Amino acid sequence: MPLATKNVRRFAELDDTDRAILSELTADGRLPNNALAERVGVAPSTCLTRTRALRECGAIRGFHAEVDPAAVGLPLQALVSVRLTAHERAAVDAFRARSVRLPGVVAVFHVAGAEDYVLHVRAASADALRDFVLDHLAVDPAVLHTQTSLIFEQARGMG
């Protein structure tokens, strides 16, 4: 059974309290357990047990700090659309496995439509972004075409 199908079935078993915990943690991942428990209306011990269970089942994938890319010397962001030369599972899986390890790659999205992947990339400069595309994507025999779109501004959604 594909992983996505397993997740849908497993996540269908989450109740309103689990979803409330996920909602609160999405809004503030640093929320202390006592405050989280109070917001969702359960005892702190129950909240801690449920939060651990949500991590174990994969509903919570992790916690991270949202850092301004300029603070780490990578002020330029781009979305690089990639069209592959072949679409056999092995080729697609191999590209995904390689692309997530490339320097500056923040996220890799497998998408439907004219392009196969969109890579969210951070770079120190326009020259560094050009070098990334030329040195890592243009030379990859699995890549047929790329198109780069600069990100002027990024705003985080509530979902």
Side-chain angles (χ1 to χ4, degrees):
M1 179 182 315
L3 181 60
T5 305
K6 289 179 188 174
N7 285 344
V8 169
R9 287 188 182 148
R10 181 176 60 221
F11 297 157
E13 298 170 6
L14 300 179
D15 65 14
D16 290 342
T17 301
D18 293 326
R19 287 187 175 80
I21 290 170
L22 293 173
S23 178
E24 292 294 338
L25 289 175
T26 298
D28 182 359
R30 294 185 57 186
L31 196 60
N33 185 64
N34 287 343
L36 178 59
E38 185 177 326
R39 287 188 187 181
V40 300
V42 297
S45 59
T46 301
C47 188
L48 187 59
T49 300
R50 284 178 174 252
T51 302
R52 284 182 181 149
L54 290 166
R55 279 197 313 262
E56 289 169 6
C57 81
I60 297 174
R61 294 181 183 169
F63 297 91
H64 71 278
E66 188 169 339
V67 176
D68 185 327
V72 292
L74 301 171
L76 187 68
Q77 295 188 81
L79 297 176
V80 182
S81 299
V82 176
R83 188 175 316 137
L84 300 178
T85 56
H87 295 93
E88 297 86 23
R89 179 171 293 282
V92 171
D93 290 347
F95 177 79
R96 183 185 61 244
R98 283 193 309 278
S99 63
V100 296
R101 294 189 313 266
L102 293 175
V105 171
V106 176
V108 174
F109 303 94
H110 189 188
V111 298
E115 310 302 336
D116 298 303
Y117 281 91
V118 176
L119 281 58
H120 179 190
V121 179
R122 292 181 181 157
S125 65
D127 288 341
L129 177 61
R130 180 202 60 224
D131 291 345
F132 169 83
V133 172
L134 293 175
D135 295 344
H136 297 287
L137 300 176
V139 298
D140 188 332
V143 174
L144 177 65
H145 174 78
T146 66
Q147 181 172 327
T148 303
S149 300
L150 293 180
I151 298 173
F152 292 132
E153 180 181 10
Q154 178 181 355
R156 189 165 202 252
M158 295 302 293

